[in-house]
């Protein structure tokens, strides 16, 4: 039976905060007054204004509890019922227009309970509006219910005075069993979510994170909901316990409950038709349209949900888009793309610049024994059509998965690889360096568009979008070792007939073969162990080409890092070439940092040198300022390790040689970008749909007019010119 309680009508709009939760000497309006300045600038109605209001079919439980500004026009209030303390700003004879919607300023056909209403607002046909602070020039029309409770948390994972801990909202990220749960809060960055979800064994650190979060919010009951200046809300069914920033646009939503909707003039947020969103934080500049369902979530700034997408128990990073699909229990770093109705992402940590194809099933626990498995994928993860993966699996940076149902757990260890399941020969095939060899256009364009689409107003975390960066380069360094070992072992076993082989012997043999670019390598069956949880073969292909390109890219990256760090002159290059660097880097929410720096952050949090999330964010900013120098140190450390050279003996002549190699590599990259796109124009199966080249070019555009290819050609010219000028400044001893 529904429990319905009867109260006296004259109490409607009052006793918002139960008396036992009011601080001593405070009334139910004390927090509301803090939020909106109290009665300053308002006055009570005069007799003539009350007469006009009554004539216009308005009602109030107590006209003395309605306060208005000096510019209040009672003729602009019609057919409304007022209960509780009401404050109304200017009402002047204007109409407001937004997207061809024109509405007269004023309050019409609404029930308004204990609200503050700003200057020249439009409120029309709002069936129930209670305990809200409405900004200036706000338009609210055709809303069924819009109310705030005294325990409103606006999507933050906090508990109010007198509430049970059991009601606290958690986000169960990365794992369906809740073992990596975090407490959401307004302003949570991808790095915050990662640190909290990752370091679960460090209880002291987790306690500090909870303390930081609790300290951001007041436990008192009685905060009002808010609608910021110039926000538009229309044709919406239910809004409860929602804080809305300025310049937001909400139209046709079904249900919005327990949310913070961040919005400002430079980054307005929009929520459209059929959306239902509960228990979440929505960042600045987000777009949410057409039947979206989101529960227990955080959307970082400038992210998008569209076309029936479902986002549950997940964090979606900045500048990411999810359409038409289901995402559960996942932590997604910035620049994620997922556009297709039948793709599914669950219990995954996806580290950004990722792209999910149609039919991809990533992290479904239905093909594992328990609901506690996880998927971890580095930057640039691209699972192809109808890819199905099994928990637990791990992938390095820029892994692309070919179409297929992968039968066992995977631990791929070389970046930039194409992974494919060869069913006919019952083996897993991995092609290292696939992106460089065959799809440079997509790789380069992915990095460019990720940076180009970064619309964040406040870039607290410095996000890395380049495909050559400390995370991918350190994986390339390890990948070279793996390839050398695998080639040497294959050669010694298959050609020399040896069986008792040490790793040192195998690697030195493989290195020698690869250094000589020996074509015999291509005839070997090169295999690795521990990459798939089966007994079948895991084969590496195109190893000779991949090994050479990896080394070329490591040189290219090192030279570029040095140029970025001191573009004016390489005169003091030795101090950057010989700097010490961490061997291991971490991706902390899209921001790369040395492992030692991350350990310093964690130590400072636990030792109370860092005492708030604001301090953590300041650490991110400080670290970002030093990133280029640290990246340069790392790049050259990798170079010296890979090429077995010593920094102390590195000379200006060596730098000139490597810089010229970098120019040649940049020219090769531009050529590879063009060639990988040109294949689409030379493919007879693509051309068969067109009667002529003219028709094809009208449909898909001319190759020479491709905007990205043109951009790359311009960048190549600029790079060649700038680097040659830079080289002239290097002082070489006579």
């Amino acid at each position: 039976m529904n429990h319905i309680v009867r109260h006296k009508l004259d109490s409607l709009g009052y006793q918002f905060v139960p008396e036992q939760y009011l601080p001593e000497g405070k009334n139910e309006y004390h927090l509301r007054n803090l939020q909106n300045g109290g009665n300053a600038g308002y006055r009570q109605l005069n007799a003539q204004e009350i007469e006009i209001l009554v004539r216009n079919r308005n009602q109030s439980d107590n006209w003395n509890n309605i306060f208005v500004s000096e510019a209040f026009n009672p003729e602009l209030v019609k057919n409304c019922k007022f209960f509780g303390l009401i404050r109304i700003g200017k009402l002047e004879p204007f109409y407001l227009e937004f997207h061809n919607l024109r509405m007269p300023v004023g309050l019409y056909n609404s029930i308004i309970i204990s609200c503050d209403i700003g200057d020249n607002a439009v409120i029309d046909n709002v069936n129930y509006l209670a305990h809200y602070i409405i900004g200036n020039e706000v338009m609210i029309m055709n809303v069924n219910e819009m109310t705030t409770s005294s325990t409103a948390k606006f999507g933050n994972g906090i508990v109010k005075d007198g509430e049970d801990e059991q009601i606290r909202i958690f986000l169960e990220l990365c794992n369906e069993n809740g073992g990596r749960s975090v407490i959401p809060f307004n302003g949570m960055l991808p790095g915050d979510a990662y640190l909290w979800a990752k370091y679960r064994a460090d209880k002291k650190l987790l306690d500090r994170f909870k303390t930081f979060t609790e300290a951001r919010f007041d436990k008192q009951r009685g905060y009002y909901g808010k609608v910021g200046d110039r926000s538009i809300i229309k044709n919406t069914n239910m809004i409860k316990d929602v804080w809305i920033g300025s310049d937001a646009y909400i139209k046709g939503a079904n249900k919005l409950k327990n949310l913070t909707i961040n919005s400002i003039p430079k980054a307005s947020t929009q929520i459209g038709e059929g959306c239902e969103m509960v228990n979440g934080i929505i960042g600045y500049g987000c777009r949410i349209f057409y039947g979206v369902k989101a529960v227990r979530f955080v959307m970082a700034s400038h992210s998008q949900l569209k076309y029936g997408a479902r986002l549950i128990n997940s964090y979606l990073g900045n500048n990411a888009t999810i359409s038409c699909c289901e995402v559960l229990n996942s932590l997604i770093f910035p620049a994620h793309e997922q556009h297709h109705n039948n793709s599914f992402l669950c219990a995954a940590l996806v580290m950004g610049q990722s792209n999910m194809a149609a039919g991809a099933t990533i992290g479904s626990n239905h093909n594992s024994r328990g609901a506690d498995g996880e998927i971890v994928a580095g930057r640039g993860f691209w699972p192809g059509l109808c890819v199905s993966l099994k928990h637990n699996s791990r992938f390095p940076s820029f892994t692309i998965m070919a179409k297929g149902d992968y039968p066992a757990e995977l631990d791929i260890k070389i970046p930039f690889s194409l992974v494919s399941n060869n069913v006919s020969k019952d083996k897993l095939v991995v092609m290292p360096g696939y992106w460089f060899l065959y799809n440079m256009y997509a790789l380069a364009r992915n990095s460019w568009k990720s940076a180009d689409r970064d619309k964040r107003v406040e870039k607290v975390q410095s996000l890395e979008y380049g495909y050559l960066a400390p995370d991918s380069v350190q994986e390339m360094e390890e990948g070279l070792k793996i390839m050398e070992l695998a080639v040497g072992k294959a050669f010694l076993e298959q050609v020399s007939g040896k069986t008792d082989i040490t790793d040192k012997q195998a690697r030195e043999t493989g290195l020698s073969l690869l250094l000589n670019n020996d074509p015999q390598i291509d005839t070997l069956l090169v295999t690795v162990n521990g990459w798939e949880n089966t007994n079948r073969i895991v084969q590496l292909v195109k190893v000779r080409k991949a090994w050479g390109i990896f080394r070329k890219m490591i040189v290219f990256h090192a030279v570029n890092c040095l140029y970025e760090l001191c573009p004016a002159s390489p005169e003091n290059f030795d101090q950057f070439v010989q700097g010490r660097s961490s061997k291991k880097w971490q991706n902390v929410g899209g921001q790369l940092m040395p492992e030692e720096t991350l350990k310093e952050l964690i130590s400072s949090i636990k030792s109370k040198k860092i005492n708030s999330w604001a301090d953590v964010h300041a650490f991110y900013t400080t670290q970002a300022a030093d990133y280029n120098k640290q990246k340069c140190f790392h790049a050259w450390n990798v170079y010296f390790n890979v090429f077995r050279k010593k920094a102390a003996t590195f000379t200006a002549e060596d730098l000139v040689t490597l810089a010229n190699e970098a120019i040649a590599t940049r020219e090769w990259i531009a050529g590879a970008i063009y060639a990988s796109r040109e294949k689409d124009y030379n493919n007879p199966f693509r051309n068969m749909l067109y009667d002529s080249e003219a028709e094809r070019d009208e449909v898909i555009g001319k190759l020479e007019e491709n905007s990205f290819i043109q951009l790359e050609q311009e960048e190549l010219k600029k790079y060649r010119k700038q680097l040659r000028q830079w080289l002239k400044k290097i002082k070489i001893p006579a």
Side-chain angles (χ1 to χ4, degrees):
M1 184 176 72
N2 292 335
H3 182 63
I4 298 175
V5 181
R6 289 183 296 180
H7 299 279
K8 292 183 178 181
L9 183 60
D10 60 9
S11 67
L12 180 59
Y14 305 96
Q15 302 169 8
F16 179 56
V17 182
E19 189 174 348
Q20 65 268 34
Y21 297 114
L22 287 173
E24 187 175 352
K26 303 292 185 181
N27 62 27
E28 65 172 297
Y29 304 121
H30 77 285
L31 292 178
R32 173 182 175 181
N33 292 337
L34 285 175
Q35 288 179 274
N36 205 36
N39 287 333
Y42 294 93
R43 59 172 177 80
Q44 288 184 312
L45 294 166
N46 59 43
Q48 183 181 10
E49 289 169 334
I50 294 173
E51 182 181 345
I52 294 171
L53 289 170
V54 172
R55 189 181 66 217
N56 287 342
R57 302 183 308 281
N58 297 292
Q59 301 176 35
S60 173
D61 68 308
N62 186 344
W63 292 110
N64 291 326
N65 282 339
I66 296 181
F67 293 80
V68 297
S69 73
E70 286 300 327
F72 171 75
N73 185 344
E75 295 289 358
L76 304 182
V77 182
K78 297 179 181 179
N79 198 30
C80 291
K81 296 179 181 179
F82 298 100
F83 298 91
L85 176 64
I86 305 292
R87 301 185 183 110
I88 304 172
K90 293 179 183 178
L91 290 181
E92 299 173 303
F94 300 116
Y95 73 84
L96 304 183
E97 181 177 2
F98 180 80
H99 288 185
N100 296 319
L101 174 68
R102 299 175 179 181
M103 297 293 292
V105 164
L107 316 180
Y108 308 100
N109 310 307
S110 301
I111 295 175
I112 301 173
I113 300 171
S114 196
C115 289
D116 293 346
I117 299 169
D119 294 339
N120 291 321
V122 175
I123 297 178
D124 193 350
N125 197 31
V126 180
N127 293 335
Y128 189 88
L129 174 61
H131 304 106
Y132 260 91
I133 297 171
I134 308 297
N136 301 323
E137 297 187 337
V138 166
M139 301 172 69
I140 305 176
M141 62 221 69
N142 301 330
V143 174
N144 189 45
E145 177 184 350
M146 185 170 176
T147 182
T148 305
S149 65
S150 65
T151 56
K153 304 162 190 70
F154 308 114
N156 298 291
I158 56 175
V159 293
K160 293 289 188 174
D161 290 337
E163 290 188 317
D164 194 297
E165 175 68 23
Q166 295 298 317
I167 72 163
R168 188 188 297 273
I169 298 295
F170 288 90
L171 302 187
E172 297 176 358
L173 303 180
C174 304
N175 197 303
E176 285 187 274
N177 72 355
R180 297 190 185 275
S181 294
V182 308
I183 300 173
F185 61 88
N186 187 27
M188 177 180 257
L189 298 176
D192 306 337
Y194 172 76
L195 293 173
W196 204 332
K198 173 64 177 173
Y199 295 99
R200 304 306 292 189
D202 194 333
K203 300 303 181 185
K204 188 174 181 179
L205 179 66
L206 301 185
D207 288 343
R208 292 286 288 158
F209 287 154
K210 184 176 180 181
T211 299
F212 291 174
T213 305
E214 293 279 5
R216 290 175 69 92
F217 304 100
D218 189 348
K219 289 189 175 183
Q220 292 185 82
R221 300 184 180 210
Y223 283 95
Y224 276 40
K226 183 177 179 181
V227 180
D229 296 345
R230 299 173 302 279
S231 286
I232 315 297
I233 304 172
K234 67 177 185 179
N235 306 327
T236 293
N237 187 36
M238 176 183 175
I239 299 174
K240 183 174 182 181
D241 293 349
V242 179
W243 190 101
I244 303 169
S246 73
D247 302 275
Y249 184 28
I250 299 171
K251 57 175 180 175
N254 288 342
K255 181 177 183 179
L256 305 175
K257 182 178 179 182
N258 191 29
L259 304 172
T260 291
I261 302 173
N262 290 290
S263 183
I264 56 176
K266 291 183 178 180
S268 63
T269 290
Q270 298 183 18
I271 300 176
E273 293 81 357
C275 295
E276 297 172 5
M277 310 185 78
V278 179
N279 301 335
I281 308 292
I282 300 170
Y284 296 103
C286 288
R287 297 288 185 270
I288 303 146
F289 293 123
Y290 310 128
V292 164
K293 315 297 180 187
V295 181
R296 297 191 183 221
F297 67 95
V298 173
M299 293 177 64
S301 66
H302 296 90
S303 56
Q304 300 185 67
L305 295 177
K306 300 186 293 186
Y307 308 123
R310 284 166 286 173
L311 182 71
I312 301 170
N313 262 318
S314 295
Y315 185 107
L316 180 62
N318 310 84
N319 310 300
T321 300
I322 295 177
S323 301
C324 315
C325 59
E326 185 172 8
V327 176
L328 309 175
N329 303 94
S330 293
L331 172 52
I332 302 171
F333 289 179
H336 175 78
E337 300 287 332
Q338 188 169 349
H339 296 283
H340 303 285
N341 189 45
N342 50 351
S343 61
F344 178 70
L345 182 65
C346 180
L349 168 60
V350 183
M351 294 188 175
Q353 291 175 265
S354 36
N355 198 317
M356 293 269 292
T361 303
I362 308 302
S364 172
N365 282 325
H366 294 289
N367 57 13
S368 300
R369 277 194 284 266
D372 58 0
E374 300 178 19
I375 299 284
V376 177
R379 283 193 305 131
F381 180 57
W382 285 35
L385 294 169
C386 299
V387 163
S388 177
L389 299 177
K390 187 174 183 180
H391 286 110
N392 291 332
S393 290
R394 180 172 61 180
F395 304 94
S397 304
F398 298 95
T399 299
I400 183 168
M401 309 293 299
K403 178 180 179 179
D405 184 0
Y406 292 82
E409 301 88 338
L410 299 173
D411 186 11
I412 308 303
K413 297 178 181 179
I414 301 179
F416 301 102
S417 292
L418 169 65
V419 181
S420 56
N421 181 27
N422 189 325
V423 177
S424 63
K425 296 184 178 178
D426 192 27
K427 62 183 178 181
L428 186 74
V429 180
V430 179
M431 186 190 299
Y434 161 81
W435 289 103
F436 302 133
L437 291 169
Y438 299 109
N439 209 349
M440 198 69 217
Y441 178 89
L443 180 64
R445 187 174 180 276
N446 175 260
S447 292
W448 168 79
K449 77 175 184 181
S450 296
D452 186 62
R453 295 175 182 178
D454 189 349
K455 305 301 182 184
R456 291 174 297 156
V457 176
E458 293 186 3
K459 298 183 179 182
V460 179
Q461 285 201 268
S462 178
L463 304 179
E464 175 61 79
Y465 295 120
Y467 55 85
L468 296 177
D471 58 342
S472 58
V473 170
Q474 72 184 3
E475 291 169 346
M476 289 169 71
E477 180 183 4
E478 292 304 310
L480 288 169
K481 296 176 185 177
I482 292 169
M483 287 187 278
E484 291 160 9
L485 179 64
V487 167
K489 188 175 181 181
F491 178 83
L492 292 173
E493 288 178 347
Q494 298 167 33
V495 178
S496 301
K498 295 183 178 180
T499 55
D500 187 16
I501 307 166
T502 66
D503 285 352
K504 183 178 180 180
Q505 288 175 323
R507 188 180 171 201
E508 290 300 323
T509 301
L511 178 61
S512 177
L513 291 167
L514 289 162
L515 281 171
N516 291 321
N517 198 26
D518 193 331
Q520 192 173 197
I521 295 171
D522 299 339
T523 67
L524 301 173
L525 176 62
V526 181
T527 63
V528 289
N529 297 318
W531 289 32
E532 183 182 58
N533 190 21
T534 64
N535 293 323
R536 66 178 186 164
I537 289 173
V538 178
Q539 182 182 3
L540 301 184
V541 297
K542 307 286 184 180
V543 176
R544 182 163 61 105
K545 289 184 177 180
W547 185 86
I549 288 176
F550 275 20
R551 285 165 64 94
K552 181 190 298 186
M553 287 297 179
I554 285 170
V555 171
F556 180 64
H557 174 62
V559 172
N560 289 343
C561 287
L562 184 59
Y563 174 71
E564 289 174 10
L565 199 57
C566 46
S569 171
E571 185 176 349
N572 299 317
F573 70 88
D574 53 330
Q575 63 178 302
F576 303 114
V577 166
Q578 297 176 14
R580 293 185 178 182
S581 170
S582 170
K583 290 185 177 180
K584 191 169 184 181
W585 284 59
Q586 296 283 352
N587 184 342
V588 182
Q591 179 172 353
L592 305 184
M593 60 179 68
E595 193 167 74
E596 286 84 355
T597 303
L598 181 55
K599 289 178 179 177
E600 177 191 343
L601 170 60
I602 292 171
S603 176
S604 296
I605 292 171
K606 291 162 63 177
S607 66
K608 300 187 178 180
K609 291 180 182 178
I610 288 178
N611 292 301
S612 67
W613 284 116
D615 290 346
V616 174
H617 298 171
F619 186 95
Y620 295 154
T621 302
T622 301
Q623 164 60 23
D626 206 34
Y627 174 63
N628 281 344
K629 182 184 289 186
Q630 292 176 324
K631 179 173 70 169
C632 186
F633 290 167
H634 178 261
W636 284 97
N637 274 241
V638 171
Y639 166 76
F640 291 125
N641 290 338
V642 166
F643 288 87
R644 302 189 177 190
K645 297 181 181 293
K646 294 182 179 180
T649 61
F650 190 76
T651 66
E653 292 94 329
D654 295 327
L655 179 56
V656 171
T657 299
L658 295 185
N660 282 315
E661 288 183 23
I663 292 172
T665 299
R666 185 66 184 83
E667 291 170 342
W668 173 83
I669 288 172
I673 289 171
Y674 185 91
S676 60
R677 185 66 175 127
E678 186 182 33
K679 288 185 295 185
D680 295 332
Y681 286 77
N682 294 334
N683 187 329
F685 285 89
R686 285 181 176 258
N687 287 323
M688 69 183 180
L689 301 177
Y690 312 109
D691 293 338
S692 65
E693 289 186 4
E695 180 189 352
R696 179 200 64 193
D697 290 345
E698 283 296 319
V699 174
I700 65 175
K702 293 181 180 180
L703 177 61
E704 293 74 16
E705 294 177 358
N706 181 288
S707 60
F708 181 67
I709 289 176
Q710 289 179 339
L711 175 65
E712 278 298 303
Q713 291 298 324
E714 289 300 316
E715 290 297 318
L716 170 61
K717 293 176 184 177
K718 188 189 302 182
Y719 182 88
R720 187 191 291 125
K721 179 180 178 181
Q722 290 175 342
L723 212 61
R724 285 174 177 168
Q725 290 175 344
W726 187 68
L727 284 175
K728 292 178 182 178
K729 298 176 183 178
I730 297 178
K731 294 182 180 179
I732 301 178

